[in-house]
Amino acid sequence: MQIRLDGKRALVTGGNSGIGAAIVRELAAAGARVAINYVVHPELANALVAELQAANAGAASAVAVGVQADVSDATQVEAMYAELDRQWGGIDILVNNAGIDGAPAPTWEADPANFERVLRVNLQGSFLCARSALKRMTAQRSGVVLNMSSVHERIAWSGFGAYTASKAGLAMLTQTMAQEAAPFGVRVLALAPGAIRTPINQNVWSNPDSLRDLLTKIPLGRMGEPAEIAQVATFLVSGAASYMSGNTVFVDGAMTDYPEFAHGG
Ligand code: NAD
């Protein structure tokens, strides 16, 4: 089976780093035009745009564009979609990937402002971007929204209550939006990565002791790579997954279903 997304217009939030950048590359390789949303580090988004343009030098129109917006800001999200309407006349695929984990602290010591910020980016931001996408997708009666959840929609994570709550909330938002959008032929899914080697968790994988501890919790015995998430994401937003909607797909080296697992322990 070969997955093709020719002619599809995709937006990836937080597409200039980690898992988002890998998804941008994979969608473009399948033939989609990709808008790379970013809030900081425009140079990373610009480099990715240049890389994809060079790989598609013969294309009649731009295969990649960078669009700046803080996904937690409704006005900036509206402006981002207005820009996509202007450039591409709409959207077929949204990957709600932007996310933060926030400063760690047990709940009784947590800063309420930190809690609110994590919820605003991970949950409210996904809602705002999905809201604008679904308006367009339901009207055209086609499209896919893919929300980047986490194994922590199901596994507790001490010190990160805002993160776990945001991802659990995103899972139920996914189910509700999928139910609402289904009559219009629009699919909504969530993808839950396990431990993937990106900047968000560099403090864990760059420290030998914390990496060793992490690996005891992963039956496959290693962290995942961003490309391994991007391949599944590309399948989920493609016609090959046309009968899938509403659920969360776990891509986690089996860590979620084996909480008692410990390599060598
Ligand atoms: P990352 O830090 O490399 O990427 C996160 C991206 O989101 C960055 O581009 C960042 O600038 C962007 N972002 C943050 N706040 C934003 C905002 N307000 N508006 C727009 N963009 C914003 O980390 P990553 O690991 O690639 O994370 C991507 C997604 O995957 C996140 O939702 C994260 O929760 C999820 N995830 C990651 C892992 C993992 O192990 N890396 C595991 C499970 C889930």
Side-chain angles (χ1 to χ4, degrees), residues 74 77-78 81 94 96 124-138 145 173 177:
V77 170
E78 286 284 323
Y81 276 88
L94 165 66
N96 258 328
Q124 172 92 349
S126 297
F127 157 73
L128 290 172
C129 291
R131 176 176 179 271
S132 292
L134 289 172
K135 259 184 200 167
R136 289 158 175 81
M137 290 174 180
T138 53
V145 173
L173 181 63
M177 294 191 301

Side-chain angles (χ1 to χ4, degrees), residues 13-20 37-41 69-72 96-101 117 121-122 148-152 163 167 191-201 223:
T13 66
N16 61 340
S17 176
I19 291 170
N37 158 261
Y38 61 94
V39 66
V40 290
H41 295 302
D70 178 340
V71 296
S72 69
N96 258 328
N97 166 77
I100 55 176
D101 51 11
R117 181 70 192 144
V121 174
N122 295 4
M148 199 56 66
S149 178
S150 161
V151 291
H152 295 298
Y163 186 80
K167 297 299 188 181
L191 194 168
I196 311 301
R197 195 182 301 268
T198 73
I200 210 173
N201 49 20
M223 294 186 76

